[in-house]
Amino acid sequence: MVAERQPRSDAASAVVISPEAIRTVPATNAWDLIRQTAGVEVHQQGQGPGFASDAVIRGFTSDHSADVALMIDGVPANHPVNGHAEGYADWNEILPEAVSAIRVLKGPVSPWIGNFAMGGEIEVQSLPLISGTRWSLRAGSYGDARVSLLSGGVGEHGGYVLGGDLQREDGWRPHSNAQTTHLMGSRNWVTGDGTRFSANATAYGAHWDSPGFVSLEDFERGDIRRAVDPTDGGRSGVATVRGTLARDLGEGSVESMLYARGRDWHLFLNIPPEGGIGEGATSQTEERDRRADAGGFTRYMRGLGRLHVIVGADYRAVTAGYGRNFTTRRERDSVFTRLDAMQLSFGPAVEAHLDVSRRLSVGVGGRLDALHYRSAPSEGGTRVTHTDVIATPKLSALARLTDVLSAYAAFNGGFRASDGVVADPTLAPIREWASEIGIRVAMPRLEGSVALFRVDVRNEQTFDPVTLSSLSSGRSLRQGIEADGRMAIGAGIALFTHATFNHARYTDRSTVEGETLSGTPVFGVSREAVEGGVDFQRGAILGSIWVAHTGPFTPIGEPGVRTEPYQLLDGRVVLPLGRTWSVAAAVQNILDRSYQELRASRFVSPGQPRTLLVTLRRGG
């Protein structure tokens, strides 16, 4: 189901996923949920639920979603000082049934997000309160089975929510079994003067086997239903506690949040050469990342007539221990690296919106990020420290041309820390300057938007396979057009589409061997991603059918090569079974199309074949 548009006063491309869409879309995981409802291009790694997938927004390939900032109830999920991928973000931490809303912002538009929001930001909000009990039971192809439960109560001064789920799957390739679980609990209080408190605790765990990446030659022969190494796999666990306070203060209001979390991630995998630290070895590698972080934010909001101002700051402290070893069937052959790293960050920000007139609003804001790093070998050695200070402006304007038509423009700075800062904190951050102009229309039977965007990126990274180090020296330009639309064509029938057309090129970049990449396509960026289909509703029966087209892209490590485009046909239907019961059925890749989900250096992660999901729900 296409995400419903919500009225917005800021000048930004955004999609808000409604609670109805979240409840009614049968999805295998959080990545699939956002792909189906917000039209975000997602490529799943296919190596187990703890191996974070890739989200692509506006020409950022976002390896392991490192270029998309994920916030879960205000808690940042991206990993600083991560040896596998700086900004690594596992969306599987999200418990879909506990989500009340998801907002997708395209581009680095928010002054309340600093690091990692190169392509955009995804904000996930959990249900603050529910009354009664909801549960769901899902079964599907390839041994997929899942059960979830939410229960809560509401009183005069607040309420609580408790929930969790269990999922297991065999996978469509051999040696791809997986088990995951979520637990959550929250308590909310409201005092007599309107002050609001909340306390929340969540936990997520996963254990999986990995079938591995296959060679391009094996994929073209159709030899994909075998495991590369029967000992590949891993496990992951994370726990988070969070508390919030919101209250009126003088003529304004203040909101503050504090959190603490810990994570342990352990992986064994034969990784093809993709340009990361130690990747491309001819044997299995073991990776272990153990981390703890704490932080929060404080913001003060006040309206001054036509002017609305928010000032505040984010703060975060992260410690991480990272190790990579060469292994054979999980037996260690040698140690590649073991590092202890830390990042301290502080980001004051301001955001102001002025209604110049009934028809014109302008926004001015900015952010100053201070990032302090410390890194040293775990067994002792030279300790390296470094501090980066980065300023990013946020400017926008929104003109309401008529009651149904508006135009907007925006200019924003953004950045993310470079891969490899866990070992070399002096690597320069990747910087971007993003601009866009667009129009929106909102009518009873038609709503949509069209935007032109341009993103200049500096300090693109080049990896040296000899020294196993990164250089921050390249530049690229990503520009294109993006469109979203929805049109009612009859009673209970509507057409919808999401489309992004990219022209992403390196403007100044060379390999370590001296080969120029200037003018060549940015690795991994599809030329276009287009989705279109039909939503229908008759009474309480809902359904959709749609086609998703992914255009050609140049794989990492294969300059001059363009992959074949592919199209996937999906469908779903939701049927009521009385007042509180419903059943949802979905078929993904209806035509059972064979395609390359990901590809790098002539290695492929094959796309999932035709899959059936059936979910029975009660409550909610």
Side-chain angles (χ1 to χ4, degrees):
M1 180 176 180
V2 67
E4 295 180 6
R5 290 284 182 181
Q6 301 294 324
R8 295 181 53 81
S9 59
D10 56 337
S13 294
V15 175
V16 178
I17 304 173
S18 69
E20 181 185 18
I22 295 168
R23 288 194 305 269
T24 59
V25 169
T28 55
N29 51 43
W31 310 88
D32 199 27
L33 173 67
I34 295 173
R35 177 186 69 84
Q36 291 191 53
T37 56
V40 173
E41 184 182 353
V42 171
H43 297 287
Q44 300 202 38
Q45 292 274 355
Q47 305 304 315
F51 203 63
S53 297
D54 302 345
V56 183
I57 298 179
R58 289 194 171 175
F60 287 92
T61 55
S62 195
D63 190 28
H64 303 299
S65 296
D67 292 321
V68 177
L70 173 63
M71 308 295 290
I72 305 175
D73 294 319
V75 177
N78 300 75
H79 292 185
V81 289
N82 186 295
H84 189 85
E86 183 70 10
Y88 184 100
D90 186 0
W91 297 6
N92 285 305
E93 294 181 28
I94 300 169
L95 173 58
E97 285 78 11
V99 174
S100 63
I102 301 174
R103 185 170 68 150
V104 178
L105 294 174
K106 299 176 182 180
V109 299
S110 172
W112 308 108
I113 303 295
N115 208 354
F116 307 125
M118 297 280 284
E121 174 196 353
I122 294 180
E123 301 173 355
V124 178
Q125 295 294 327
S126 297
L127 290 164
L129 297 170
I130 67 169
S131 180
T133 299
R134 308 174 182 177
W135 65 263
S136 67
L137 179 65
R138 188 183 78 206
S141 304
Y142 313 112
D144 179 273
R146 184 170 184 270
V147 61
S148 68
L149 177 70
L150 285 179
S151 185
V154 180
E156 182 179 355
H157 299 292
Y160 71 92
V161 179
L162 298 173
D165 72 357
L166 291 169
Q167 180 175 343
R168 57 94 57 203
E169 55 184 316
D170 295 330
W172 66 274
R173 294 179 62 198
H175 195 66
S176 53
N177 306 71
Q179 301 84 39
T180 62
T181 186
H182 296 84
L183 294 172
M184 64 88 66
S186 66
R187 181 71 167 89
N188 294 272
W189 298 269
V190 180
T191 65
D193 63 357
T195 302
R196 301 174 298 282
F197 302 89
S198 71
N200 176 278
T202 61
Y204 161 72
H207 183 277
W208 67 94
D209 297 325
S210 293
F213 303 92
V214 302
S215 69
L216 178 60
E217 291 75 16
D218 285 342
F219 176 84
E220 291 177 340
R221 287 194 303 265
D223 186 13
I224 59 177
R225 294 184 182 269
R226 61 182 176 85
V228 173
D229 186 329
T231 64
D232 280 354
R235 61 176 175 81
S236 179
V238 60
T240 306
V241 293
R242 173 180 58 88
T244 63
L245 165 68
R247 63 167 301 171
D248 293 336
L249 185 65
E251 298 298 319
S253 63
V254 65
E255 180 180 9
S256 188
M257 185 273 289
L258 295 173
Y259 73 90
R261 59 194 271 126
R263 183 178 181 117
D264 188 350
W265 181 81
H266 198 184
L267 172 72
F268 293 88
L269 191 64
N270 286 268
I271 304 176
E274 294 185 13
I277 298 177
E279 295 188 0
T282 56
S283 68
Q284 185 187 67
T285 59
E286 173 192 14
E287 290 184 76
R288 185 82 180 269
D289 181 274
R290 287 173 286 186
R291 62 183 49 238
D293 61 303
F297 66 78
T298 300
R299 297 170 192 165
Y300 176 73
M301 295 152 276
R302 183 173 178 180
L304 300 168
R306 295 182 176 182
L307 180 67
H308 184 75
V309 179
I310 309 175
V311 296
D314 304 327
Y315 27 88
R316 187 179 188 184
V318 181
T319 61
Y322 176 76
R324 183 191 288 269
N325 307 295
F326 295 118
T327 55
T328 301
R329 295 182 177 270
R330 301 203 179 195
E331 294 295 328
R332 291 180 182 173
D333 300 324
S334 60
V335 175
F336 178 79
T337 187
R338 290 180 183 173
L339 297 165
D340 292 318
M342 177 190 73
Q343 185 201 71
L344 301 176
S345 62
F346 180 70
V350 60
E351 180 178 14
H353 290 273
L354 174 64
D355 291 327
V356 178
S357 67
R358 188 176 70 87
R359 294 290 188 182
L360 177 65
S361 299
V362 296
V364 179
R367 181 181 177 94
L368 188 68
D369 282 275
L371 308 176
H372 177 73
Y373 296 95
R374 184 178 69 195
S375 175
S378 300
E379 291 78 15
T382 303
R383 185 173 71 178
V384 180
T385 61
H386 184 73
T387 300
D388 287 311
V389 178
I390 305 159
T392 49
K394 314 289 181 179
L395 306 172
S396 64
L398 174 66
R400 302 169 185 85
L401 305 177
T402 69
D403 291 342
V404 299
L405 182 66
S406 60
Y408 68 91
F411 176 79
N412 301 285
F415 77 97
R416 85 166 176 88
S418 293
D419 286 327
V421 293
V422 63
D424 182 5
T426 64
L427 287 171
I430 303 171
R431 300 294 306 270
E432 72 169 321
W433 300 103
S435 55
E436 67 174 293
I437 58 173
I439 58 172
R440 298 193 189 108
V441 61
M443 302 170 64
R445 300 179 65 85
L446 173 66
E447 57 181 349
S449 64
V450 177
L452 300 175
F453 63 89
R454 176 188 172 103
V455 184
D456 290 281
V457 181
R458 302 178 182 179
N459 300 335
E460 287 271 12
Q461 286 188 278
T462 300
F463 181 73
D464 188 334
V466 177
T467 63
L468 299 179
S469 61
S470 294
L471 305 173
S472 299
S473 58
R475 299 184 66 172
S476 66
L477 174 63
R478 293 157 166 87
Q479 56 188 351
I481 185 170
E482 190 171 64
D484 291 277
R486 181 180 180 88
M487 180 175 67
I489 60 173
I493 301 177
L495 304 177
F496 65 87
T497 187
H498 307 285
T500 301
F501 297 89
N502 274 308
H503 184 76
R505 294 289 187 274
Y506 294 114
T507 56
D508 181 13
R509 187 174 180 182
S510 300
T511 67
V512 293
E513 294 83 7
E515 178 186 2
T516 182
L517 296 176
S518 300
T520 62
V522 174
F523 291 134
V525 177
S526 300
R527 188 181 61 193
E528 69 272 348
V530 182
E531 179 182 275
V534 180
D535 281 340
F536 61 86
Q537 179 172 1
R538 183 170 295 276
I541 300 174
L542 305 172
S544 306
I545 188 166
W546 68 97
V547 175
H549 165 87
T550 300
F553 64 89
T554 297
I556 296 173
E558 300 181 56
V561 173
R562 297 288 268 181
T563 61
E564 290 294 324
Y566 61 88
Q567 300 78 35
L568 302 178
L569 178 65
D570 297 334
R572 61 106 193 187
V573 65
V574 180
L575 303 173
L577 301 176
R579 188 170 58 89
T580 60
W581 293 78
S582 66
V583 62
V587 182
Q588 300 176 358
N589 194 2
I590 293 173
L591 301 180
D592 203 22
R593 177 74 183 271
S594 175
Y595 62 100
Q596 300 175 22
E597 182 81 64
L598 294 173
R599 174 173 160 181
S601 299
R602 297 183 65 84
F603 285 87
V604 174
S605 179
Q608 184 166 308
R610 181 167 49 235
T611 302
L612 172 66
L613 298 173
V614 178
T615 303
L616 179 67
R617 287 190 176 89
R618 182 185 185 279

